[in-house]
Amino acid sequence: MSSAQRIIQVAVPSPLCRTFDYRPPESGSLPALGGRVRIPFGRRSIIGVVTDIVTHSALPAARLKTVLEVLDLDPLFSQELLGLLQWASDYYHHPIGEVISAALPQALRHGRPAVMESPVAWSVTDSGRARLETVPLLRGAPARILQALAGAGAAVDEPALAAFSDRWRPALRSLVARGWVAAASVRNPPAGAMPRTGAPAANAAQAAAIAAITSAPPGFHCYLLHGVTGSGKTEVYLQVIARILDSGGQVLVLVPEIGLTPQLLQCFRQRFSDDIAVIHSGLNASERLEAWLRAKGGSARIVIGTRSAVFVPMKALRLIVVDEEHDASYKQQDGFRYSGRDIAIRRGQREKIPVVMGSATPSLESLHNARQGRYVLLQLPDRIGRAQLPPVRLLDLRQLAHPDGLSPPLIEALGERLSRSEQSLLFLNRRGFAPVLMCHGCGWMAPCPRCDARLTLHRADARLRCHHCGSDVRVPETCPVCQSETLRGLGEGTERVEAALSRIFPGASIERIDRDTTRRKGTLEQKLGRVRAGTADILVGTQMLAKGHDFPNLTLVGVLNADQGLYGYDFRSGEQLFQRVLQVAGRAGRGDKPGEVIIQTFHPDHPLFLALCRHDYTSFADYALSERREAQFPPYSHLALLRAEAPGQNQALAFLARAHVLAGALDSIAGVSVMDPVPSPMARRAGRYRAQLLVHAARRPALHRFLREWLLLLAADPLSRRIRWAMDVDPLDMH
Ligand code: ADP
Ligand code: ZN
Ligand code: ZN
């Protein structure tokens, strides 16, 4: 068949849920399936990705335009990965072009060639290093090159390799073919010089988990590793990963936020020295492209990344790890609203490889799936070594004074830690000095001009800021309503607690860790470094402190505002509160010294806190799941949220009301309930009004059938063009 009979189907970043047909270029090669082409689109020329090459188009031949340029002769995405992207587009009802675009590094979206920019450099792999120690010894050029690379401590670029042998090129080729040498970038030298530390012997529970994963027959299995905080989940990942690497495979490790857990990365670097590509939002376009290409080409054996890394092509992918699988940051909250965790599971299924998800507080969805037998539940019930889970004490705020958020027993406990040179952590999920600025003359509370929210007082720089839209104004000197000068901060944020602590304990060194104190690159690492080195006595921080950290000398954790979310309007509030508090409690007593957790609450009798006192996630989950079943919420049903946003509240609601009517006319509505449109919990945000409409179904296929038909009607409706709207499948928050 000549290329003239081929039709190239191209996905382009556009809100239309379809691909577009083109004729192949007049001369030159056919583009690759999964490669980029430049095409005429409207009056512009844009870049798209070839999703299929077929022989027939619904368009008459005369109307077909021609591909302008083929950018990739080799595919960027394999057939399997294209299939996964198509699946994600169908599942989230999001245009395929935008899905593919989200999976491409920015540099490739903008047409940069898919090749590494820096001069190619090479480094020895772990198996290459191992080969040097075995007999018979290698000889000749390959031996000289391998030894040179092993001795260099960093990647060696090609010009330097030529110094070791005239025959370096064929020698290199054979070393690469055997997996003993791999390409590395010069800009990000591999940590080859770092010592590769050995693995500790796994304890019995870890060994059982490792054996369960590594001895399963090949293929897709999903494991839920439920291990209490400090039980050594990371070690289970590391040992399973080592096996996969030894057999020549690649591993993808998803983490919620890399910046927050430098320790995890360090663990991986120490254990596996080189061969790691890290993909996160802090990379610039070139760094990201390079990490992506190393993953795709196989020279990065381990890829560690945040949610979008789930789409990174990996030629020999054999295992996916999802750390802290319950974490909300796996869900993208705007645009293409996918769950990195859920796509990881689907990817594992499609590529027939195991997926290991770990958490001390698994999401109720995952726990339910494990109980239903869809996932294998692996448990690590105890902490490593002699460490014990810390006892939890509830302090009743109804009975105790708590100026600046600190009750006397908590202050006493902090004093004890200081006198023993141990560290404490105070957790408060609110940055700034006070969440409200109030006038004591008339009761005025500084509102955000653009949101249904109050401005937070940041006293150090005398600003009022909105944490929702970023509004930022100077603190007024007098009340704008009654001109009184008695303006005071109401309630407490981390800044206020820090100030109070330095008054109460003038000799103590206090580290505040929140988004305000860690804005500059590197400050978080510096602060965490001081904590680890033992020069910090008290840490005060937000959510940023709750995850993943392992500070052996930390023996006290205090939770200041545990009630936040206890009676939230979102059906997940309780689950999220429990997870947050249990995670932060898990930072205490991880070393040899026993730890203690103090929770300040107005509801010390609440069953959720009673379960927390026993570190009993399972019985909390039983209770929460029974509530969910009762109310028919996920995991016992499936949800989609139609979100609308407009300059006026009525416009947003009118569109949703129209959507409601359109839904009622569809046959596929059987098995689906469409609720009434309502204003979102924070209706006005950044000057726009938001409203939403919840769709509920007992069965997933029914939901998707309905959504598909409904979205066609919505997109065709004239109202839909005048406002911003989006479909959120499996919504995680209901704001
Ligand atoms: P988790 O992620 O479950 O909270 P970590 O993976 O951080 O726990 O492990 C807690 C600590 O125990 C870490 O310092 C880790 O290096 C150490 N550790 C893990 N497994 C072992 C083991 N088998 N022997 C000795 N130390 C271990
Ligand atoms: Zn006033
Ligand atoms: Zn605002």
Side-chain angles (χ1 to χ4, degrees):
M1 195 162 31
S2 82
S3 67
Q5 289 161 288
R6 304 291 179 94
I7 305 293
I8 315 293
Q9 295 191 325
V10 184
V12 304
S14 102
L16 296 172
C17 289
R18 45 174 283 233
T19 57
F20 296 85
D21 291 353
Y22 287 85
R23 255 200 294 258
E26 311 284 346
S27 58
S29 338
L30 268 183
L33 200 57
R36 292 166 302 160
V37 287
R38 193 183 295 281
I39 47 170
F41 194 76
R43 292 191 199 152
R44 301 171 300 151
S45 93
I46 61 169
I47 292 173
V49 169
V50 178
T51 53
D52 211 348
I53 299 180
V54 295
T55 52
H56 177 77
S57 173
L59 278 183
R63 290 191 47 206
L64 283 176
K65 294 185 188 162
T66 304
V67 168
L68 300 173
E69 187 188 357
V70 174
L71 292 163
D72 302 300
L73 290 176
D74 293 324
L76 295 177
F77 296 110
S78 64
Q79 295 264 29
E80 288 104 87
L81 209 45
L82 273 183
L84 180 75
L85 294 168
Q86 184 63 57
W87 173 83
S89 163
D90 294 342
Y91 183 88
Y92 291 103
H93 299 273
H94 198 76
I96 179 68
E98 289 187 0
V99 170
I100 290 183
S101 185
L104 275 178
Q106 187 199 9
L108 296 182
R109 285 203 298 271
H110 292 170
R112 286 244 295 266
V115 289
M116 300 219 202
E117 283 207 319
S118 45
V120 181
W122 300 91
S123 61
V124 63
T125 62
D126 291 333
S127 52
R129 242 177 254 283
R131 177 61 187 87
L132 278 174
E133 284 155 21
T134 57
V135 280
L137 292 173
L138 274 177
R139 280 182 309 182
R144 283 202 295 281
I145 300 280
L146 195 61
Q147 262 150 8
L149 290 175
V156 177
D157 63 11
E158 295 192 346
L161 279 183
F164 295 102
S165 163
D166 288 335
R167 294 184 40 76
W168 68 274
R169 220 179 261 283
L172 185 68
R173 215 176 297 135
S174 81
L175 291 170
V176 171
R178 292 174 193 190
W180 296 339
V181 166
S185 83
V186 178
R187 204 174 324 104
N188 299 317
M194 243 193 246
R196 179 176 174 170
T197 56
N203 68 22
Q206 287 173 321
I210 294 164
I213 300 166
T214 54
S215 65
F220 168 71
H221 308 274
C222 189
Y223 301 92
L224 180 61
L225 180 62
H226 179 193
V228 300
T229 54
S231 59
K233 291 183 288 294
T234 314
E235 189 57 44
V236 172
Y237 307 150
L238 293 171
Q239 297 200 20
V240 172
I241 290 170
R243 306 274 188 99
I244 304 279
L245 298 183
D246 286 345
S247 70
Q250 283 178 294
V251 178
L252 172 62
V253 181
L254 296 180
V255 296
E257 279 158 285
I258 285 178
L260 299 188
T261 47
Q263 239 169 335
L264 180 99
L265 211 56
Q266 205 180 330
C267 260
F268 272 78
R269 290 223 161 100
Q270 278 171 0
R271 188 67 61 82
F272 299 114
S273 49
D274 40 18
D275 306 343
I276 300 178
V278 182
I279 297 188
H280 59 93
S281 57
L283 300 181
N284 69 31
S286 301
E287 289 166 337
R288 184 176 272 265
L289 173 60
E290 193 156 296
W292 197 87
L293 290 170
R294 287 178 57 217
K296 175 172 182 288
S299 68
R301 316 264 311 277
I302 303 178
V303 175
I304 304 182
T306 44
R307 65 172 174 259
S308 67
V310 74
F311 298 116
V312 169
M314 293 173 72
K315 149 170 136 186
L317 183 62
R318 301 276 162 72
L319 169 73
I320 305 178
V321 173
V322 183
D323 191 27
E324 309 288 5
E325 66 83 29
H326 67 280
D327 199 288
S329 52
Y330 282 120
K331 176 86 200 242
Q332 169 126 336
Q333 300 286 20
D334 53 20
F336 172 30
R337 294 170 183 261
Y338 65 96
S339 155
R341 175 198 64 197
D342 294 348
I343 293 189
I345 295 168
R346 183 51 62 140
R347 184 168 181 181
Q349 221 164 30
R350 297 180 67 101
E351 303 206 12
K352 303 188 178 57
I353 55 169
V355 177
V356 177
M357 307 197 291
S359 176
T361 53
S363 64
L364 294 181
E365 282 81 355
S366 296
L367 211 52
H368 177 70
N369 278 330
R371 290 177 178 183
Q372 298 280 306
R374 282 191 284 271
Y375 305 162
V376 180
L377 185 63
L378 302 170
Q379 286 182 293
L380 306 179
D382 302 306
R383 282 193 160 178
I384 287 296
R386 289 188 294 130
Q388 296 291 318
L389 286 169
V392 179
R393 181 150 55 115
L394 297 176
L395 295 182
D396 186 349
L397 286 180
R398 294 169 306 184
Q399 316 277 350
L400 292 163
H402 47 281
D404 299 313
L406 302 165
S407 66
L410 179 60
I411 293 175
E412 195 181 318
L414 286 166
E416 282 168 26
R417 288 342 185 265
L418 284 170
S419 67
R420 297 205 296 258
S421 301
E422 296 171 3
Q423 294 172 311
S424 309
L425 183 164
L426 294 185
F427 171 75
L428 171 65
N429 213 8
R430 219 184 247 157
R431 64 195 168 88
F433 187 82
V436 176
L437 179 73
M438 187 171 114
C439 168
H440 281 226
C442 72
W444 172 82
M445 294 189 259
C448 173
R450 308 169 67 217
C451 304
D452 291 334
R454 314 240 177 255
L455 295 171
T456 299
L457 172 63
H458 289 253
R459 201 178 63 171
D461 35 18
R463 308 294 296 183
L464 290 173
R465 298 201 176 104
C466 175
H467 289 183
H468 306 285
C469 74
S471 287
D472 189 336
V473 296
R474 204 150 46 88
V475 176
E477 276 164 21
T478 57
C479 170
V481 176
C482 75
Q483 277 70 50
S484 157
E485 287 176 8
T486 51
L487 296 175
R488 305 256 162 78
L490 195 68
E492 48 279 326
T494 46
E495 192 187 332
R496 177 175 228 155
V497 173
E498 181 193 27
L501 289 170
S502 6
R503 262 195 327 271
I504 303 169
F505 302 111
S509 130
I510 299 163
E511 288 288 349
R512 169 155 67 97
I513 299 189
D514 57 29
R515 273 207 279 138
D516 295 320
T517 63
T518 56
R519 246 176 251 286
R520 244 180 320 120
K521 205 171 171 181
T523 42
L524 177 65
E525 288 76 3
Q526 281 166 16
K527 281 172 175 284
L528 295 176
R530 284 199 287 273
V531 178
R532 225 164 300 132
T535 53
D537 300 313
I538 306 178
L539 288 80
V540 181
T542 55
Q543 192 63 14
M544 290 181 83
L545 267 184
K547 299 178 198 169
H549 304 290
D550 190 27
F551 305 125
N553 196 36
L554 199 153
T555 59
L556 173 69
V557 165
V559 181
L560 298 194
N561 61 343
D563 299 340
Q564 222 179 46
L566 196 56
Y567 295 103
Y569 45 77
D570 196 316
F571 70 90
R572 282 195 180 86
S573 320
E575 176 186 357
Q576 286 164 350
L577 184 156
F578 202 99
Q579 289 168 339
R580 195 164 56 227
V581 176
L582 203 67
Q583 290 283 349
V584 69
R587 302 309 113 206
R590 294 167 71 93
D592 293 334
K593 299 174 195 155
E596 184 188 12
V597 178
I598 293 181
I599 295 178
Q600 301 189 143
T601 170
F602 285 96
H603 304 277
D605 305 322
H606 196 287
L608 189 149
F609 288 125
L610 298 178
L612 259 171
C613 285
R614 302 188 309 266
H615 294 272
D616 191 352
Y617 190 70
T618 304
S619 64
F620 162 75
D622 292 341
Y623 163 77
L625 279 169
S626 69
E627 273 188 348
R628 296 270 183 99
R629 185 201 295 273
E630 195 88 352
Q632 281 299 298
F633 274 125
Y636 299 98
S637 68
H638 306 286
L639 303 181
L641 196 64
L642 179 61
R643 301 171 183 272
E645 200 185 290
Q649 180 74 280
N650 291 341
Q651 291 161 282
L653 284 171
F655 168 68
L656 296 181
R658 176 84 190 128
H660 196 272
V661 171
L662 291 172
L666 286 170
D667 289 341
S668 57
I669 197 166
V672 175
S673 347
V674 180
M675 310 292 157
D676 285 327
V678 288
S680 303
M682 186 196 291
R684 195 168 56 108
R685 185 167 179 160
R688 297 176 66 87
Y689 285 88
R690 299 157 343 120
Q692 59 194 36
L693 189 165
L694 189 64
V695 182
H696 198 280
R699 306 209 352 94
R700 238 184 234 301
L703 178 65
H704 284 276
R705 216 170 18 249
F706 166 74
L707 290 181
R708 221 170 0 256
E709 290 189 11
W710 193 35
L711 280 165
L712 287 177
L713 290 185
L714 289 180
D717 194 86
L719 274 184
S720 76
R721 267 165 243 144
R722 277 181 243 142
I723 73 165
R724 224 187 280 167
W725 59 279
M727 184 59 73
D728 189 351
V729 176
D730 303 334
L732 202 58
D733 76 55
M734 302 290 172
H735 314 287

